[in-house]
Amino acid sequence: MNEITMNFGDYVFQKRKDLGLTLREFCRKFGYQPSYISRLENSVLGAPNNKKKLSALALALKIEKDTEDWITFFSLAASSRVSIPKDIKEDFPNITRFLPAFFRTTRKNKVTKDDIETLIKLIHNEHNN
């Protein structure tokens, strides 16, 4: 799974695995409850709204501040808390996976027609698979 189609839970899981830590080891080392991190990783819960808590989790995952990984982590966190209308979720079940890419693209000074077309192709490809 690549970063464009990854959700917040997948990203947290992958970062923890990259550290070579089991769920229990990670939680013991950084003071988290295993059930809480498990619910984050399985997308049962969205990311915490509290920036301090979210930053602490990023640092525990060894995500360096002000890097592309940091931006990705916070973009995925924001998209995990977005409420999508039910009909859109049904038509595009993986739409929240594309929101971070959409927001990163729109963050540019000028969004080009090619940027928009690329995002539309990604969404259509996902929808037709």
Side-chain angles (χ1 to χ4, degrees), residues 3-129:
E3 177 188 308
I4 290 178
T5 60
M6 192 174 279
N7 65 33
F8 180 74
D10 296 333
Y11 196 76
V12 170
F13 173 80
Q14 189 58 56
K15 288 295 185 183
R16 178 179 59 76
K17 294 304 270 184
D18 289 349
L19 294 173
L21 297 172
T22 67
L23 176 66
R24 294 202 183 280
E25 289 169 335
F26 177 81
C27 292
R28 195 170 23 256
K29 185 173 183 174
F30 296 104
Y32 290 102
Q33 291 295 319
S35 60
Y36 173 70
I37 298 299
S38 176
R39 288 189 308 240
L40 285 178
E41 290 182 351
N42 289 295
S43 301
V44 174
L45 291 177
N49 283 318
N50 182 300
K51 189 172 181 177
K52 187 176 178 180
K53 288 181 182 181
L54 196 56
S55 295
L57 179 59
L59 293 172
L61 292 166
K62 305 294 185 224
I63 299 171
E64 292 183 38
K65 199 171 186 176
D66 299 325
T67 62
E68 188 64 33
D69 277 347
W70 185 268
I71 292 167
T72 298
F73 178 81
F74 278 85
S75 295
L76 290 170
S79 70
S80 77
R81 298 184 298 259
V82 171
S83 178
I84 308 282
K86 186 178 178 185
D87 62 320
I88 293 174
K89 276 187 183 178
E90 289 171 356
D91 288 344
F92 300 95
N94 293 315
I95 192 128
T96 56
R97 295 179 184 267
F98 296 100
L99 290 176
F102 171 77
F103 291 125
R104 280 193 300 277
T105 300
T106 58
R107 191 181 284 150
K108 294 162 91 177
N109 289 336
K110 181 180 178 191
V111 177
T112 67
K113 184 176 179 179
D114 287 342
D115 292 332
I116 294 169
E117 288 175 0
T118 299
L119 285 169
I120 290 170
K121 284 178 189 174
L122 282 170
I123 293 169
H124 278 112
N125 286 341
E126 179 69 21
H127 182 63
N128 292 325
N129 288 335

